[in-house]
Amino acid sequence: MDEDMIGRIDELVQEEHRLHARSSQGEPLPDEDRRRLSEVEVQLDQCWDLLRQRRARRDAGQDPQDVAVRPSDVVEYYQQ
């Protein structure tokens, strides 16, 4: 399961990099790309949080499956 989550994180990071590369070409991103970039960033935060929850539960001897995706307004303000 962690491998699936890491794979999803990798996919999102690649998409984030593609979107950032478009914006670094000197032109602003279209509205649709800006919205997608924002969505990707939130999804990344949620995936990392879920992975951390799973690892913490496993380290504590608890079931790593017993986790839930936290809302964007929660994970958005975590410090990396």
Side-chain angles (χ1 to χ4, degrees):
M1 182 78 165
D2 286 359
E3 294 80 20
D4 293 337
M5 184 64 56
I6 292 168
R8 180 67 182 139
I9 288 169
D10 287 341
E11 291 170 4
L12 290 167
V13 166
Q14 289 173 14
E15 184 175 1
E16 180 184 42
H17 287 182
R18 282 192 300 272
L19 290 165
H20 278 298
R22 287 184 198 163
S23 69
S24 68
Q25 295 172 351
E27 296 185 27
L29 283 174
D31 289 344
E32 183 178 324
D33 285 349
R34 277 198 328 270
R35 279 191 297 276
R36 180 60 190 153
L37 181 58
S38 179
E39 290 170 3
V40 166
E41 290 170 344
V42 168
Q43 288 176 12
L44 270 169
D45 289 344
Q46 289 174 318
C47 286
W48 277 116
D49 176 64
L50 200 58
L51 186 60
R52 287 183 189 114
Q53 286 183 64
R54 290 178 51 75
R55 288 176 174 172
R57 290 187 67 78
R58 188 177 298 113
D59 290 347
Q62 299 173 349
D63 183 3
Q65 300 287 351
D66 192 18
V67 296
V69 175
R70 296 181 213 218
S72 61
D73 61 332
V74 172
V75 300
E76 207 171 338
Y77 300 105
Y78 285 168
Q79 297 295 317
Q80 297 296 325

